[in-house]
Amino acid sequence: MSIDFLNREHGLYIAGGWQPSDGGGRLDVINPATGAVIATIADASPADVDRAVAAARAAFERNDWASLLPNARGQLLWRIAEAIEAHAEEFARLECLDNGKPLLAARRGDVPGAADTFRYFAGWCTKITGQTMQVSRPGQTFAYTMREPLGVVAAIVPWNFPLLMAAWKLAPALAAGCTVVLKPAEDTSLTALRLAEVMADCGMPAGVVNVVTGRGATVGAALTRHPDVNKVAFTGSTLVGKEIIGAAAGNLKKLTLELGGKSPTLILPDADLTKAIPAAVMGIFHNAGQVCAAGSRLYVHEKVFDQVTEGIIQRARALRSGPGEVPTTDLGPLVSQRHRERVHGYVESGQRDGAQLLTGGARGLGEGFFYEPTILTGTKPHMSIVREEIFGPVLVAERFGDLDEAVERANDSDFGLSATVWTTNLSLAHGLARRLEAGTIRVNTGGGTDPNQPFGGTKQSGWGREFGEEGLLEYMQTKSVLMTL
Ligand code: NAP
Ligand code: MG
């Protein structure tokens, strides 16, 4: 691992080089497993944002990215995928130190996922098409559409999967021919900074990708208000998503918003419990529950409720908490002290509201921001632990007798990101896939995304989709051309 990288005086990556921030402010980078400061990053100002947007605008106007032959653009994105793989261990270790996640999870999930995303969108560069259409006077007119890149994209990403979320935004934006200013989360900016360099080494022209670190309320807000930004691609909280809608109104920016979730899992009495139980455990405790599509509400048929909850409790208690670099660690710390207190506040409020704790419910030992895997039951639909996204290792588990009632409770949410069903009855499964209100329905599978399948939310889980052709087209606009022959 390049400790050299950690020791650097990290700047802002603007116009193809490192630049200091305008005001010279710094932010500490904290290892959440120990609470220790491991590096510092630049705390950028609105003036820095102006410089980064100007660099992205200039690169877009110079047209040296969008006008590269599609094949050459695709090859460059493919090279970035290979470079991420070549630096996999370094990226995984940085992510583990900065976010706290188990090294193994970063090696198996985040890093290959980021590489796959670039590789997938590399393929789209040569497959962007318009259409010709029959209009009212066939033979006398020629009508067609073409796809154009939207322009300068502000990509604002969260701290739960820092490198992966950056890749989810950068790869489709670049495949579409846009230029980008990336703002990583202030808690986890290291891999985005390293990625900027790796991309430059692959031959990315200056100014096409810029990275500005700093605070959401400063850098994020300046980007979303900026008159020269054409689109904001955001993943994060619903609260900030709504602020962005307001900030984007000035120049009517296009928006994609991948916001929170409170995703239900339904376990029917005929389900294969040998698979459903471990998947439900992973569904809520993977990445310490800091997953937008985490299965945080569990509805189990009364016939199997005791068996399922007992199985989940046993497995939850067996999960080993610890620093990510320890190979036996299943569960890392939460990302920050502040976030841990927020999570604990929810658990306390749930108990005050009358919910019963089945396991967990306390901060972990040591200096790090650990939190015990926690399961509550006896909840009521109005409780905040049932309605709000906790974004930690906290599951609410309830029994149901009647399937219609279970669907109603599952759908009784402001969110609609994902829903999971466990049943061996094929007709029931297809029926539930229609009835459940969510952008993604999983049947007899724990999770996972694929770059060729659109991902995104209904209701207050967001606007737009990532991945697939739909995900690419979120970064493009259609121009119609009509010609008299
Ligand atoms: P957040 O505040 O929504 O942060 C997400 C990103 O937006 C970060 O880069 C953040 O920067 C930036 N940001 C913050 N305020 C902004 C503003 N006014 N304008 C533009 N950008 C802004 O999320 P968080 O505070 O990190 O986490 C809070 C909750 O959000 C979590 O507990 C969870 O419920 C939800 N969340 C959801 C997802 C998801 O995948 N859907 C991911 C993470 C969090 P800073 O980091 O510098 O503040
Ligand atoms: Mg950190």
Side-chain angles (χ1 to χ4, degrees):
M1 223 296 275
S2 114
I3 294 298
D4 295 355
F5 179 75
L6 283 182
N7 290 340
R8 273 200 224 161
E9 175 88 4
H10 298 287
L12 308 171
Y13 195 80
I14 298 177
W18 294 110
Q19 300 189 11
S21 80
D22 196 43
R26 310 291 301 167
L27 292 171
D28 286 341
V29 176
I30 290 169
N31 176 352
T34 61
V37 176
I38 52 169
T40 68
I41 51 170
D43 184 9
S45 69
D48 297 320
V49 170
D50 286 344
R51 276 189 295 136
V53 172
R57 171 59 55 196
F60 187 73
E61 301 301 338
R62 269 198 322 270
N63 212 20
D64 50 3
W65 175 245
S67 70
L68 260 190
L69 290 180
N71 211 3
R73 240 173 38 229
Q75 278 177 349
L76 211 158
L77 294 188
W78 191 278
R79 267 208 299 286
I80 293 168
E82 289 178 335
I84 290 172
E85 284 166 347
H87 294 89
E89 192 56 20
E90 183 185 358
F91 277 118
R93 285 187 180 271
L94 282 175
E95 211 72 308
C96 164
L97 282 176
D98 198 357
N99 162 282
K101 65 181 61 206
L103 185 54
L104 221 61
R107 277 188 193 139
R108 287 186 187 157
D110 301 60
V111 178
D116 284 350
T117 305
F118 277 100
R119 202 170 268 122
Y120 174 77
F121 282 105
W124 270 112
C125 295
T126 49
K127 291 160 197 74
I128 295 168
T129 52
Q131 291 180 313
T132 59
M133 48 269 312
Q134 303 271 344
V135 288
S136 49
R137 290 170 294 148
Q140 298 166 46
T141 53
F142 176 43
Y144 65 98
T145 58
M146 52 182 155
R147 307 273 194 199
E148 295 179 335
L150 280 176
V152 174
V153 172
I156 302 178
V157 298
W159 41 259
N160 54 343
F161 295 93
L163 177 71
L164 190 62
M165 292 299 108
W168 281 27
K169 307 285 185 264
L170 287 168
L174 294 171
C178 294
T179 60
V180 184
V181 179
L182 170 66
K183 186 237 171 284
E186 69 188 72
D187 285 328
T188 57
S189 293
L190 295 178
T191 47
L193 293 170
R194 186 71 185 103
L195 181 63
E197 252 174 3
V198 165
M199 292 175 85
D201 291 345
C202 290
M204 186 56 73
V208 174
V209 175
N210 308 273
V211 181
V212 181
T213 58
R215 295 167 207 267
T218 311
V219 175
L223 279 169
T224 56
R225 274 195 316 264
H226 205 290
D228 221 14
V229 168
N230 303 103
K231 178 199 162 95
V232 178
F234 174 75
T235 296
S237 61
T238 296
L239 197 71
V240 172
K242 288 179 182 178
E243 279 180 36
I244 290 175
I245 293 170
N251 66 337
L252 231 59
K253 291 177 186 67
K254 308 291 182 283
L255 297 179
T256 40
L257 303 171
E258 206 270 87
L259 309 177
K262 191 74 184 176
S263 298
T265 299
L266 273 61
I267 300 185
L268 276 52
D270 67 337
D272 178 348
L273 299 184
T274 63
K275 297 200 171 98
I277 290 172
V281 171
M282 283 309 288
I284 185 61
F285 299 127
H286 175 63
N287 215 43
Q290 302 166 119
V291 179
C292 53
S296 51
R297 292 185 292 144
L298 180 66
Y299 299 100
V300 186
H301 191 270
E302 57 197 10
K303 275 194 194 148
V304 291
F305 180 81
D306 290 338
Q307 190 186 346
V308 168
T309 46
E310 200 39 53
I312 294 177
I313 291 167
Q314 271 177 26
R315 283 169 178 269
R317 289 187 180 147
L319 292 173
R320 286 155 304 195
S321 277
E325 8 8 323
V326 174
T328 51
T329 293
D330 299 307
L331 204 77
L334 296 177
V335 74
S336 66
Q337 173 83 301
R338 190 173 50 115
H339 185 53
R340 180 171 70 169
E341 293 318 306
R342 185 175 174 271
V343 168
H344 188 56
Y346 272 112
V347 173
E348 286 183 326
S349 96
Q351 289 172 277
R352 270 198 311 276
D353 290 346
Q356 296 118 46
L357 195 63
L358 294 177
T359 189
R363 300 174 186 85
L365 300 174
E367 298 301 306
F369 315 135
F370 297 97
Y371 201 78
E372 292 178 352
T374 299
I375 305 172
L376 294 130
T377 190
T379 60
K380 295 278 179 298
H382 68 270
M383 290 182 187
S384 61
I385 52 166
V386 177
R387 305 213 69 81
E388 294 173 28
E389 183 175 47
I390 300 175
F391 225 64
V394 181
L395 177 70
V396 294
E398 293 307 329
R399 68 183 79 218
F400 69 85
D402 173 57
L403 189 59
D404 289 341
E405 174 213 324
V407 171
E408 200 174 301
R409 281 158 71 189
N411 286 341
D412 179 16
S413 175
D414 291 337
F415 296 110
L417 190 57
S418 128
T420 302
V421 175
W422 289 89
T423 177
T424 47
N425 181 325
L426 202 59
S427 317
L428 266 184
H430 283 297
L432 288 170
R434 284 180 176 278
R435 292 172 66 195
L436 288 167
E437 297 167 359
T440 295
I441 308 293
R442 290 166 174 154
V443 179
N444 297 334
T445 178
T449 49
D450 186 288
N452 202 30
Q453 187 167 37
F455 179 79
T458 61
K459 301 198 267 186
Q460 292 189 37
S461 289
W463 288 351
R465 292 290 178 270
E466 303 197 83
F467 288 158
E469 185 176 18
E470 265 185 81
L472 175 80
L473 295 181
E474 300 276 9
Y475 293 88
M476 309 200 83
Q477 56 199 348
T478 301
K479 181 179 274 178
S480 283
V481 182
L482 183 67
M483 191 186 288
T484 298
L485 296 177

